[in-house]
Amino acid sequence: MKKKSILAIAIVIILAIAMLLAYLAFAPKAQAGAKQITVIVNHLAGAAGTSEPAKTQTTYNLQTDAKYLREALEENNLAQGPETEYGLWLKTVDGETADETKQEWWGYTVNGEFAAYGVAQQTVTDGDIYEFTLNQGY
């Protein structure tokens, strides 16, 4: 019985080490140096007298040395929010704050694909296009 417990613990430790090594091997790698990126912000600016909000779009062409998207956004005062156990919770983008009472939240894509990482872990690559959209409804 004791040998089985030791074997089970050893297997769990080996699997944990294997998962850590896989993450380190396949995690996004930050690119050093100057980069030009595009940040597109899709706002939900409420249209007076209508039930549908009017969407407006703002585009920023940024030069940055940031390795991660959070740095690039904060350098240009484009994103703010509280720090959580999972990283930065995007509450305000380009001056517009998501209203949680209306089930609003910010999401983003990288080159047209839904982001796989939070902005603090998302690497910045020259030529990338990051599109932020204020969404409504959970």
Side-chain angles (χ1 to χ4, degrees), residues 66-120:
K67 292 182 180 179
Y68 296 95
L69 184 55
R70 177 181 182 166
E71 297 169 54
L73 295 171
E74 288 177 344
E75 281 174 359
N76 293 279
N77 296 317
L78 288 176
Q80 296 85 36
E83 197 66 42
T84 71
E85 63 185 290
Y86 305 107
L88 177 68
W89 176 256
L90 283 181
K91 186 93 167 150
T92 303
V93 176
D94 193 27
E96 185 168 11
T97 301
D99 184 346
E100 291 178 13
T101 65
K102 296 179 182 175
Q103 297 184 345
E104 293 178 352
W105 54 279
W106 285 100
Y108 79 101
T109 61
V110 181
N111 300 320
E113 301 285 328
F114 286 109
Y117 301 98
V119 294

Side-chain angles (χ1 to χ4, degrees), residues 38-43 55-60 69 73 90 93 106-115 119 128-135:
T38 301
V39 175
I40 300 168
V41 182
N42 295 308
H43 294 276
K55 288 199 176 209
T56 60
Q57 188 177 79
T58 308
T59 301
Y60 297 92
L69 184 55
L73 295 171
L90 283 181
V93 176
W106 285 100
Y108 79 101
T109 61
V110 181
N111 300 320
E113 301 285 328
F114 286 109
V119 294
D128 276 352
I129 300 171
Y130 304 95
E131 187 167 356
F132 290 83
T133 302
L134 183 58
N135 298 283

